[in-house]
Amino acid sequence: MWRKRDDMIVHETDPYNAEPPRAGLHDPITTPDSFYVRNHGPVPENDPGDWAVTVDGLVDESASFTPERLREEFTHHTLTATMQCAGNRRAGFLPVRDIPGEDPWGPGATSTAPWTGARLCDVLRSVGIADGARHVEFTASDVSDLADPPQAYGGSIPLAKALSSEVLLAWAMNGEPLPVVHGAPVRVVVPGYVGARSVKWLRGITVRADPSENYFQATAYRVLPPEADPDHAGPGDGISLGSVALNCDILSPEEHEHVPGGPVRVTGYAYAGDDRTVARVDVSGDDGRTWHQAELDAVASPWAWQHWEALVPVTGAGSHVLMARAWDSTGACQPESPRALWNPKGYVNNSWARVEVTVE
């Protein structure tokens, strides 16, 4: 479905939500058939010939941009950026405590692609930004019944981020026209922020004094305290999600894989959101008693993940736990345990990665 690989891990079919297996993330650039999909409602049926993005709110002059007008009036930019779902690695929370009503995403709710489009800052400057502007809201054409009453998906980012050079209104992915399931004809790409802010099927851009009041900004995608009841959480409760937290996971060996004794080649990805970078990855083959520094691959752009690998001694037949932890350019390290991070919606599990293997 949607031209995805046959072994995608499908969490829901309607709306379609799926992630690739670990094997689908080994390359620095994720192929379109492996790129994860997070939807909140049915994929809308849009007519590209009747499509336009309206820019209004605190601007000097409102305007409407068709895809053709975006291509013709603004310089084209291509940027390689990682997209990561706020629920990536949610399954790691489940041994701590169940999270009813939320998809159990594994480590595959993250992918990287080159995106091509117009810079949002260029579009905003073309209409003029009025005094009092502090946030930029995006509205999509897909409608979700997760909100009550159902509403079109939306969200916002601070104006300072919107005016940065990396945020795009994208019409291409991996050098090809943007696939429908990934937001065609035009989507927002907000590098360094959780995927929820990279709104697909973009219909409206509104410059505002305050953050969006859309359900998916004001109520959803917020980290609630452990004792909170998510069914009764209201607008403004919890911590709003923006920048991606430092994270990494192991791609090989696979969970419960049988490996020969001796040095084991361990590979994975690491990612630090917004303007932070990955500084180091440590890998352990003995449940964290000793650590070995991984070798980091070259990074495709400041907004992309890094792959890494390490040869780790694993001795003695039987079960062993491989572990990985990343450090970023601020000197911060991932927290050790998901127990300290558990929250009722299962967001931001960036605890140390763990994969259990069997040594033959």
Side-chain angles (χ1 to χ4, degrees):
M1 188 177 189
W2 303 114
R3 297 185 177 179
K4 295 295 179 181
R5 54 193 293 157
D6 293 338
D7 58 354
M8 288 289 280
I9 301 164
V10 179
H11 297 292
E12 295 179 83
T13 56
D14 187 18
Y16 182 64
N17 285 287
E19 65 181 297
R22 294 175 193 261
L25 297 178
H26 283 297
D27 294 328
I29 301 300
T30 311
T31 56
D33 68 327
S34 291
F35 207 101
Y36 85 97
V37 178
R38 174 65 173 113
N39 290 325
H40 301 82
V43 175
E45 296 181 5
N46 298 308
D47 179 2
D50 188 34
W51 186 268
V53 178
T54 299
V55 184
D56 58 16
L58 294 175
V59 297
D60 295 339
E61 185 176 357
S62 299
S64 184
F65 296 91
T66 63
E68 292 74 20
R69 185 178 174 189
L70 286 173
R71 291 187 183 93
E72 291 171 0
E73 295 188 11
F74 299 99
T75 303
H76 297 194
H77 294 273
T78 297
L79 177 72
T80 298
T82 296
M83 198 81 68
Q84 189 164 113
C85 179
N88 187 47
R89 303 183 63 215
R90 179 181 284 137
F93 280 141
L94 300 185
V96 177
R97 188 169 154 193
D98 194 19
I99 304 175
E102 298 292 340
D103 293 333
W105 294 96
T110 185
S111 304
T112 299
W115 309 90
T116 300
R119 286 176 172 163
L120 175 60
C121 62
D122 293 342
V123 175
L124 291 176
R125 287 180 177 126
S126 75
V127 298
I129 300 169
D131 292 342
R134 296 290 183 273
H135 298 268
V136 177
E137 177 182 40
F138 309 117
T139 305
S141 64
D142 58 319
V143 176
S144 174
D145 60 9
L146 295 175
D148 185 16
Q151 64 177 260
Y153 185 85
S156 63
I157 60 175
L159 179 64
K161 181 68 175 179
L163 292 178
S164 62
S165 62
E166 68 269 11
V167 181
L168 298 179
L169 303 183
W171 55 71
M173 172 184 175
N174 294 76
E176 300 291 338
L178 190 65
V180 171
V181 76
H182 290 295
V186 177
R187 72 170 297 167
V188 187
V189 175
V190 186
Y193 270 42
V194 294
R197 306 304 174 221
S198 290
V199 174
K200 296 186 282 191
W201 309 297
L202 182 66
R203 278 292 195 179
I205 299 172
T206 302
V207 181
R208 302 167 49 98
D210 302 305
S212 171
E213 297 173 355
N214 187 281
Y215 170 81
F216 294 98
Q217 178 78 40
T219 302
Y221 289 104
R222 304 181 77 92
V223 178
L224 299 172
E227 68 277 8
D229 179 354
D231 292 333
H232 293 90
D237 291 347
I239 302 167
S240 181
L241 291 172
S243 299
V244 175
L246 172 68
N247 214 334
C248 83
D249 212 318
I250 295 169
L251 294 177
S252 66
E254 298 270 0
E255 182 79 20
H256 304 307
E257 185 174 334
H258 287 248
V259 299
V264 174
R265 180 176 176 265
V266 185
T267 69
Y269 68 78
Y271 181 52
D274 217 2
D275 60 354
R276 292 165 287 121
T277 58
V278 175
R280 194 177 88 210
V281 173
D282 302 328
V283 187
S284 173
D286 54 11
D287 203 18
R289 287 186 292 275
T290 61
W291 295 90
H292 305 268
Q293 193 168 331
E295 188 171 320
L296 296 173
D297 289 354
V299 65
S301 90
W303 304 102
W305 62 11
Q306 281 183 271
H307 281 66
W308 52 264
E309 68 172 87
L311 282 176
V312 180
V314 181
T315 58
S319 178
H320 292 262
V321 176
L322 305 176
M323 304 172 69
R325 63 186 185 193
W327 300 73
D328 72 17
S329 51
T330 71
C333 180
Q334 293 175 253
E336 178 178 353
S337 171
R339 185 173 298 277
L341 299 170
W342 188 95
N343 60 90
K345 300 290 284 184
Y347 293 136
V348 200
N349 179 17
N350 70 329
S351 59
W352 295 356
R354 290 170 170 82
V355 168
E356 185 175 348
V357 298
T358 299
V359 174
E360 297 177 330

